[in-house]
Amino acid sequence: MDGALCHRAFGPSQAVAEQLAAHHTVYTYDRRGRGASGDTAPYAVEREVEDLAAVIAAAGGRAAVVGISSGAALALHAATRDIGITHVGVYEPPFSTEDAQRARFTDYATGLAADLAEERRGEAVSRFMAFVGAPGPTVEQLRSSPVWPAFEEVAPTLAYDAAVLDAGVGASVPAGALAKITVPVLVLDGGASPELLRAPARAVAAAVPSAEYRSLPDQTHEVAADVLAPALVKFFAS
């Protein structure tokens, strides 16, 4: 399951799927509002869970699920429901573990909602990129690049990711909900990622009774598919 701004034609999921396909039958899909998928208002996180449930049903009723970044948060949310999930592998779910992070996330989500309400898609994407640490000059270069229209096309889905992370509480780790997960969960982070991404991974692993935590050496949030996939294959075989 993809993170912010990503879908099958843009982002890491296709490369990961190709690696996994050597060992498993792999189903990929675009989250709602992205790529080839449609969108139906009003948005709700439960509708995204229903989307995943439909994919799992089409796959035979049982499946392991992989989620990256905010897609990892959605995968964990789905794992609290009885929709046929057998294993969950997640990489760096971007929850908040400190008050300053929670306040910053709330400010970001508030500004994002205002941008999207006024159809300022470019500003919404720029706001997101600044939030995740992209330097201002880099964002300005991207705004004049051929890829920018693709970002703007899926800009409304940034609000969906904020909802998945629960912007209302600053994207806090949902320990109570995670404690209800009964299927095996592998929580991964990158050894070269900043602590603000690694701390949530450890917190998620601590909250899920069935979780295993691993750190992938030298990896960042932009994890390499040929490093991530073998860890997932080993986990799914356990």
Side-chain angles (χ1 to χ4, degrees), residues 49-160:
V49 174
E50 290 168 2
D51 295 341
L52 176 60
V55 174
I56 293 174
R62 290 173 62 80
V65 175
V66 176
I68 298 174
S69 194
S70 54
L74 179 58
L76 291 165
H77 184 87
T80 67
R81 305 293 192 268
D82 184 15
I83 60 171
I85 294 175
T86 62
H87 295 71
V88 181
V90 296
Y91 187 82
E92 294 191 352
F95 292 112
S96 301
T97 57
E98 298 180 358
D99 288 343
Q101 287 176 284
R102 284 185 276 270
R104 184 168 177 264
F105 191 95
T106 299
D107 288 344
Y108 156 73
T110 299
L112 174 68
D115 290 337
L116 294 175
E118 298 181 19
E119 284 295 321
R120 299 194 303 261
R121 293 192 176 196
E123 293 307 309
V125 176
S126 293
R127 185 182 299 277
F128 167 75
M129 291 184 172
F131 176 72
V132 298
T138 299
V139 176
E140 287 305 311
Q141 289 177 354
L142 283 170
R143 290 190 73 131
S144 59
S145 73
V147 75
W148 193 257
F151 287 142
E152 290 196 357
E153 183 178 1
V154 296
T157 65
L158 290 170
Y160 303 171

